[in-house]
Tab-separated table of all heavy atoms in Angstrom:
chain	number	residue	atom	x	y	z
A	1149	THR	N	-1.797	8.985	7.002
A	1149	THR	CA	-3.036	8.875	7.776
A	1149	THR	C	-3.342	7.420	8.102
A	1149	THR	O	-3.756	6.656	7.221
A	1149	THR	CB	-4.230	9.472	6.994
A	1149	THR	OG1	-3.861	10.744	6.458
A	1149	THR	CG2	-5.444	9.603	7.906
A	1150	PRO	N	-3.133	7.004	9.357
A	1150	PRO	CA	-3.473	5.628	9.738
A	1150	PRO	C	-4.962	5.345	9.548
A	1150	PRO	O	-5.789	6.252	9.518
A	1150	PRO	CB	-3.084	5.571	11.224
A	1150	PRO	CG	-2.086	6.670	11.403
A	1150	PRO	CD	-2.511	7.758	10.455
A	1151	ASN	N	-5.272	4.056	9.404
A	1151	ASN	CA	-6.650	3.588	9.233
A	1151	ASN	C	-7.289	4.114	7.948
A	1151	ASN	O	-8.489	4.362	7.885
A	1151	ASN	CB	-7.515	3.941	10.444
A	1151	ASN	CG	-7.003	3.283	11.717
A	1151	ASN	OD1	-6.462	2.172	11.681
A	1151	ASN	ND2	-7.141	3.971	12.838
A	1152	THR	N	-6.463	4.293	6.919
A	1152	THR	CA	-6.954	4.599	5.576
A	1152	THR	C	-6.316	3.598	4.609
A	1152	THR	O	-5.329	2.944	4.921
A	1152	THR	CB	-6.597	6.022	5.132
A	1152	THR	OG1	-5.166	6.148	5.038
A	1152	THR	CG2	-7.154	7.055	6.099
A	1153	PHE	N	-6.927	3.515	3.407
A	1153	PHE	CA	-6.429	2.603	2.385
A	1153	PHE	C	-6.176	3.395	1.104
A	1153	PHE	O	-6.658	4.523	0.950
A	1153	PHE	CB	-7.455	1.490	2.110
A	1153	PHE	CG	-7.668	0.565	3.279
A	1153	PHE	CD1	-8.530	0.912	4.317
A	1153	PHE	CD2	-7.023	-0.666	3.337
A	1153	PHE	CE1	-8.731	0.058	5.386
A	1153	PHE	CE2	-7.218	-1.531	4.409
A	1153	PHE	CZ	-8.072	-1.163	5.436
A	1154	ILE	N	-5.434	2.771	0.178
A	1154	ILE	CA	-5.188	3.390	-1.118
A	1154	ILE	C	-5.259	2.314	-2.201
A	1154	ILE	O	-4.824	1.175	-1.989
A	1154	ILE	CB	-3.822	4.109	-1.151
A	1154	ILE	CG1	-3.634	4.841	-2.483
A	1154	ILE	CG2	-2.674	3.163	-0.851
A	1154	ILE	CD1	-2.436	5.783	-2.505
A	1155	PHE	N	-5.856	2.673	-3.340
A	1155	PHE	CA	-5.969	1.752	-4.485
A	1155	PHE	C	-6.027	2.608	-5.758
A	1155	PHE	O	-6.230	3.823	-5.668
A	1155	PHE	CB	-7.238	0.895	-4.341
A	1155	PHE	CG	-8.515	1.663	-4.607
A	1155	PHE	CD1	-9.179	1.544	-5.831
A	1155	PHE	CD2	-9.058	2.530	-3.652
A	1155	PHE	CE1	-10.362	2.259	-6.088
A	1155	PHE	CE2	-10.230	3.238	-3.899
A	1155	PHE	CZ	-10.883	3.098	-5.124
A	1156	SER	N	-5.859	2.086	-6.923
A	1156	SER	CA	-5.226	0.830	-7.281
A	1156	SER	C	-3.723	1.085	-7.300
A	1156	SER	O	-3.252	1.893	-8.091
A	1156	SER	CB	-5.689	0.369	-8.664
A	1156	SER	OG	-7.115	0.236	-8.723
A	1157	ILE	N	-3.004	0.400	-6.444
A	1157	ILE	CA	-1.588	0.689	-6.226
A	1157	ILE	C	-0.750	-0.542	-6.543
A	1157	ILE	O	-1.171	-1.674	-6.268
A	1157	ILE	CB	-1.354	1.162	-4.774
A	1157	ILE	CG1	0.082	1.647	-4.582
A	1157	ILE	CG2	-1.716	0.080	-3.774
A	1157	ILE	CD1	0.307	2.370	-3.261
A	1158	ALA	N	0.412	-0.312	-7.164
A	1158	ALA	CA	1.305	-1.414	-7.507
A	1158	ALA	C	2.041	-1.909	-6.270
A	1158	ALA	O	2.379	-1.136	-5.370
A	1158	ALA	CB	2.300	-0.975	-8.580
A	1159	ASN	N	2.294	-3.190	-6.247
A	1159	ASN	CA	3.019	-3.811	-5.141
A	1159	ASN	C	4.513	-3.796	-5.461
A	1159	ASN	O	5.034	-4.692	-6.119
A	1159	ASN	CB	2.522	-5.242	-4.943
A	1159	ASN	CG	3.152	-5.910	-3.736
A	1159	ASN	OD1	3.982	-5.322	-3.051
A	1159	ASN	ND2	2.763	-7.145	-3.469
A	1160	THR	N	5.192	-2.745	-5.029
A	1160	THR	CA	6.630	-2.612	-5.271
A	1160	THR	C	7.374	-2.551	-3.942
A	1160	THR	O	6.797	-2.205	-2.905
A	1160	THR	CB	6.945	-1.339	-6.073
A	1160	THR	OG1	6.633	-0.189	-5.264
A	1160	THR	CG2	6.136	-1.284	-7.359
A	1161	ASP	N	8.657	-2.880	-3.981
A	1161	ASP	CA	9.467	-2.832	-2.759
A	1161	ASP	C	9.491	-1.423	-2.173
A	1161	ASP	O	9.439	-1.241	-0.951
A	1161	ASP	CB	10.898	-3.287	-3.055
A	1161	ASP	CG	10.976	-4.775	-3.364
A	1161	ASP	OD1	10.039	-5.498	-2.988
A	1161	ASP	OD2	11.959	-5.200	-3.993
A	1162	LYS	N	9.570	-0.420	-3.042
A	1162	LYS	CA	9.615	0.964	-2.566
A	1162	LYS	C	8.342	1.319	-1.813
A	1162	LYS	O	8.381	1.957	-0.755
A	1162	LYS	CB	9.818	1.910	-3.750
A	1162	LYS	CG	9.862	3.368	-3.335
A	1162	LYS	CD	10.031	4.281	-4.542
A	1162	LYS	CE	10.024	5.751	-4.105
A	1162	LYS	NZ	10.150	6.668	-5.255
A	1163	ARG	N	7.203	0.911	-2.354
A	1163	ARG	CA	5.944	1.256	-1.694
A	1163	ARG	C	5.713	0.441	-0.434
A	1163	ARG	O	5.058	0.911	0.498
A	1163	ARG	CB	4.795	1.106	-2.696
A	1163	ARG	CG	4.810	2.237	-3.717
A	1163	ARG	CD	3.848	2.051	-4.848
A	1163	ARG	NE	3.877	3.236	-5.706
A	1163	ARG	CZ	3.241	3.333	-6.865
A	1163	ARG	NH1	2.542	2.308	-7.315
A	1163	ARG	NH2	3.310	4.438	-7.579
A	1164	LEU	N	6.237	-0.772	-0.399
A	1164	LEU	CA	6.107	-1.581	0.812
A	1164	LEU	C	6.892	-0.992	1.973
A	1164	LEU	O	6.665	-1.347	3.126
A	1164	LEU	CB	6.572	-3.013	0.540
A	1164	LEU	CG	5.629	-3.870	-0.313
A	1164	LEU	CD1	6.242	-5.240	-0.567
A	1164	LEU	CD2	4.269	-4.013	0.347
A	1165	ALA	N	7.800	-0.069	1.669
A	1165	ALA	CA	8.524	0.618	2.738
A	1165	ALA	C	7.632	1.633	3.436
A	1165	ALA	O	7.916	2.060	4.551
A	1165	ALA	CB	9.764	1.316	2.164
A	1166	HIS	N	6.543	2.035	2.772
A	1166	HIS	CA	5.649	3.058	3.327
A	1166	HIS	C	4.265	2.523	3.677
A	1166	HIS	O	3.544	3.137	4.469
A	1166	HIS	CB	5.490	4.206	2.333
A	1166	HIS	CG	6.777	4.861	1.943
A	1166	HIS	ND1	7.490	5.667	2.803
A	1166	HIS	CD2	7.491	4.819	0.788
A	1166	HIS	CE1	8.589	6.097	2.194
A	1166	HIS	NE2	8.609	5.603	0.980
A	1167	PHE	N	3.867	1.411	3.067
A	1167	PHE	CA	2.517	0.885	3.256
A	1167	PHE	C	2.552	-0.591	3.637
A	1167	PHE	O	3.563	-1.265	3.472
A	1167	PHE	CB	1.703	1.033	1.965
A	1167	PHE	CG	1.465	2.449	1.541
A	1167	PHE	CD1	2.238	3.034	0.551
A	1167	PHE	CD2	0.455	3.211	2.124
A	1167	PHE	CE1	2.026	4.340	0.148
A	1167	PHE	CE2	0.232	4.513	1.731
A	1167	PHE	CZ	1.027	5.079	0.747
A	1168	ARG	N	1.407	-1.051	4.134
A	1168	ARG	CA	1.216	-2.474	4.372
A	1168	ARG	C	0.317	-3.020	3.266
A	1168	ARG	O	-0.780	-2.502	3.040
A	1168	ARG	CB	0.569	-2.675	5.743
A	1168	ARG	CG	0.507	-4.122	6.175
A	1168	ARG	CD	0.450	-4.291	7.699
A	1168	ARG	NE	-0.140	-3.197	8.417
A	1168	ARG	CZ	-1.137	-3.333	9.317
A	1168	ARG	NH1	-1.654	-4.514	9.555
A	1168	ARG	NH2	-1.595	-2.300	9.971
A	1169	TRP	N	0.776	-4.029	2.580
A	1169	TRP	CA	0.018	-4.606	1.471
A	1169	TRP	C	-1.193	-5.363	2.007
A	1169	TRP	O	-1.086	-6.149	2.940
A	1169	TRP	CB	0.920	-5.533	0.662
A	1169	TRP	CG	0.283	-6.121	-0.560
A	1169	TRP	CD1	-0.069	-7.418	-0.758
A	1169	TRP	CD2	-0.064	-5.428	-1.764
A	1169	TRP	NE1	-0.601	-7.581	-2.018
A	1169	TRP	CE2	-0.612	-6.380	-2.652
A	1169	TRP	CE3	0.046	-4.100	-2.173
A	1169	TRP	CZ2	-1.066	-6.039	-3.926
A	1169	TRP	CZ3	-0.394	-3.750	-3.433
A	1169	TRP	CH2	-0.942	-4.706	-4.297
A	1170	VAL	N	-2.362	-5.121	1.388
A	1170	VAL	CA	-3.586	-5.790	1.807
A	1170	VAL	C	-3.910	-6.946	0.875
A	1170	VAL	O	-4.192	-8.062	1.318
A	1170	VAL	CB	-4.761	-4.795	1.861
A	1170	VAL	CG1	-6.074	-5.519	2.157
A	1170	VAL	CG2	-4.497	-3.721	2.912
A	1171	GLY	N	-3.897	-6.684	-0.423
A	1171	GLY	CA	-4.180	-7.761	-1.368
A	1171	GLY	C	-4.249	-7.252	-2.788
A	1171	GLY	O	-4.535	-6.081	-3.034
A	1172	GLU	N	-3.989	-8.146	-3.722
A	1172	GLU	CA	-4.018	-7.773	-5.128
A	1172	GLU	C	-5.344	-8.180	-5.767
A	1172	GLU	O	-6.037	-9.081	-5.279
A	1172	GLU	CB	-2.863	-8.428	-5.884
A	1172	GLU	CG	-2.980	-9.942	-6.009
A	1172	GLU	CD	-1.787	-10.535	-6.731
A	1172	GLU	OE1	-0.749	-10.687	-6.084
A	1172	GLU	OE2	-1.926	-10.849	-7.927
């Protein structure tokens, strides 16, 4: 779903393949 966010999520290479990192 574009224009949604998810937290608290780990910053991993696998997840960066599916999401855009916003900030830690």
